[in-house]
Amino acid sequence: MKEKIQELKQKFNTELDAVKDTKALEDLRLVFFSKKGLISDLMKELGKVPNEQKKEFGQLINGLKKELNDKFDEKKLELVKLEEESEINATEAYDESMPTRCACGSYHPITLVQRDLEDIFKSMGFDVEDYNEIVDDYHCFEALNIPKFHPARDMQDTYYLSTPNQLLKSHTSAAQNAIMRKYGDALKKQKRPIKAVFPGRCFRNEAIDACHENTFFQMEGIMIDEDISISNLIYFMKTMLSEVFERDVTVRLRPGFFPFVEPGFELDIQCLICGGDGCPSCKNSGWLELCPCGMIHPNVLKYGGINTEEEPDKYTGFAFGLGLTRLAMMKFGIKDIRVLNEFDLNSLSQFVSK
Ligand code: FA5
């Protein structure tokens, strides 16, 4: 019995040391202190002990219970304090309850982030383009190597208009074909690389939560020339992120599937609201999908009039689709995406441009 008490104590101490947040602490409480927990099991074992030893072991178990309870309470206090502090840090720039600072209007946080990005890309030689919100099926899907009935369409269910073939664009990639056609001649005749970003509002028939809206903004970018490679893509992504956040951010690149790029990547940013521990803003994963990207698929270059049957590989390029709304959330410490579509002046007037 003494050994069992000792073992339980050690197990508790090891597991308590590994606990990093209040959720894990609650899980630990259930394992040890609940009715069906390990301490109750030990109490049941007391029944099997000879009568003359019951008093001694009863006291030992009670002592153990008190010791573990005290340690548990101490850890809880420590974690609650830490979590409150990190919440305060994350929301430092944004306070829902703050009264309006001025009666005049101010730029929307997404506009601010969009302008910052436009300046960053312009300084790297990119043109800034605009595109329609209502597009046709060809531009939104088929020109992007997503034929009718392709399963990839399920990822981007959008709103179809009663006018045949017209829909609200589900991603800024819908402009890729038009941009290629606009700048293709300059690329071929004047050897001027195509470098363009095009921000825009996107629409999806989406289940809304803290990080998904049915109306949100993206910024697309493409670069096309001879010999463009993944290294160019990574260089521009890194430069853009370090300039926009003006601080170190942790990102990860993992394979991602989009029919219009090959290879394709998902570029995720570690959630700046919870520091990677997991919260509703990042669906408890600690990471937020921010900027999928990849090398433009040969078919897309062909549909855009860039490469021909005779020279199918002459030009290569990269494309990315940055989630502007999510970027604004991360940049300003906004926990819930819905704040950005509420148009509440109390909230929105708190954001200031650089
Ligand atoms: C696309 O939309 C692709 N067109 C991006 C792309 C472009 C890939 C070029 C490769 C090359 P995705 O569905 O993952 O991919 O959306 C891109 C980004 O938009 C996401 O990472 C996210 O930041 C943002 N986003 C997507 N859906 C929503 C939503 N419902 N609410 C808010 N942001 C969203």
Side-chain angles (χ1 to χ4, degrees):
M1 191 74 176
K2 274 189 183 153
E3 268 168 28
K4 280 193 180 160
I5 293 176
Q6 203 50 37
E7 267 169 30
L8 192 65
K9 190 166 156 179
Q10 262 173 14
K11 182 173 164 60
F12 180 87
N13 286 339
T14 319
E15 292 187 15
L16 190 71
D17 272 346
V19 162
K20 295 279 177 280
D21 56 34
T22 46
K23 186 183 169 306
L25 190 68
E26 171 61 9
D27 293 344
L28 181 114
R29 188 189 68 76
L30 293 174
V31 172
F32 284 88
F33 300 109
S34 66
K35 271 191 186 160
K36 292 187 178 161
L38 296 176
I39 294 181
S40 286
D41 288 348
L42 203 62
M43 290 297 268
K44 281 177 206 149
E45 299 234 351
L46 196 59
K48 297 178 201 157
V49 166
N51 277 346
E52 61 280 12
Q53 294 179 356
K54 275 205 167 72
K55 189 171 171 206
E56 183 196 352
F57 286 123
Q59 280 173 349
L60 282 176
I61 295 177
N62 279 338
L64 174 79
K65 255 167 82 175
K66 183 170 176 337
E67 186 182 335
L68 302 196
N69 257 319
D70 287 349
K71 283 188 176 163
F72 177 90
D73 288 343
E74 201 182 307
K75 184 87 175 186
K76 190 169 179 180
L77 272 179
E78 186 190 309
L79 288 174
V80 167
K81 191 163 169 262
L82 274 176
E83 283 178 7
E84 279 174 354
E85 278 170 5
S86 90
E87 205 163 304
I88 290 167
N89 288 341
T91 52
E92 209 170 33
Y94 170 61
D95 174 2
E96 284 166 335
S97 59
M98 225 169 104
T100 314
R101 274 198 201 133
C102 67
C104 52
S106 57
Y107 286 116
H108 192 281
I110 296 175
T111 309
L112 295 174
V113 175
Q114 180 180 321
R115 289 187 175 185
D116 281 355
L117 279 165
E118 286 177 3
D119 288 344
I120 293 168
F121 279 106
K122 275 194 231 163
S123 74
M124 298 191 285
F126 281 72
D127 293 300
V128 178
E129 289 290 333
D130 198 9
Y131 196 61
N132 310 337
E133 289 179 357
I134 297 176
V135 298
D136 60 18
D137 188 273
Y138 176 78
H139 286 89
C140 202
F141 298 118
E142 288 183 46
L144 291 163
N145 206 27
I146 313 177
K148 285 204 164 54
F149 309 113
H150 191 286
R153 290 195 178 207
D154 293 349
M155 296 191 287
Q156 295 196 11
D157 186 17
T158 184
Y159 302 93
Y160 289 81
L161 307 192
S162 46
T163 327
N165 212 24
Q166 302 284 295
L167 50 105
L168 298 183
K169 76 168 185 278
S170 55
H171 55 168
T172 40
S173 305
Q176 279 193 18
N177 186 273
I179 306 287
M180 288 180 201
R181 298 225 162 251
K182 177 170 176 186
Y183 289 108
D185 269 358
L187 171 69
K188 291 173 191 174
K189 294 184 184 147
Q190 295 148 26
K191 301 214 168 297
R192 180 180 184 268
I194 301 181
K195 286 167 89 179
V197 288
F198 25 108
R201 187 181 272 125
C202 304
F203 307 84
R204 288 190 198 174
N205 181 12
E206 190 87 83
I208 292 173
D209 59 28
C211 55
H212 290 88
E213 257 290 5
N214 53 22
T215 306
F216 57 97
F217 286 79
Q218 290 183 342
M219 180 184 267
E220 190 92 357
I222 56 172
M223 177 171 184
I224 303 172
D225 199 358
E226 291 181 25
D227 299 325
I228 297 293
S229 71
I230 296 177
S231 321
N232 299 99
L233 167 65
I234 292 175
Y235 167 79
F236 282 106
M237 295 294 93
K238 268 189 171 168
T239 312
M240 176 266 292
L241 286 172
S242 61
E243 292 207 17
V244 84
F245 282 104
E246 298 168 285
R247 65 192 237 202
D248 281 342
V249 287
T250 311
V251 293
R252 68 177 185 193
L253 199 64
R254 58 193 168 93
F257 173 69
F258 303 90
F260 35 96
V261 285
E262 181 57 41
F265 306 101
E266 287 281 2
L267 190 148
D268 305 332
I269 181 170
Q270 192 170 66
C271 180
L272 298 176
I273 307 284
C274 63
D277 290 342
C279 66
S281 312
C282 59
K283 281 195 162 172
N284 291 315
S285 71
W287 295 91
L288 221 67
E289 285 177 8
L290 185 68
C291 186
C293 48
M295 299 305 293
I296 304 176
H297 193 285
N299 285 352
V300 177
L301 290 170
K302 191 170 79 186
Y303 302 148
I306 300 295
N307 282 334
T308 55
E309 296 289 347
E310 296 72 45
E311 289 183 297
D313 306 320
K314 179 160 184 189
Y315 297 101
T316 50
F318 67 74
F320 61 86
L322 178 70
L324 262 191
T325 307
R326 291 212 186 138
L327 188 69
M329 287 173 73
M330 291 296 105
K331 176 142 174 145
F332 292 110
I334 299 167
K335 286 189 199 159
D336 195 312
I337 196 167
R338 288 163 279 206
V339 168
L340 292 165
N341 278 2
E342 274 172 358
F343 304 108
D344 174 357
L345 288 183
N346 274 359
S347 301
L348 298 179
S349 61
Q350 294 175 37
F351 304 102
V352 278
S353 183
K354 275 198 282 187

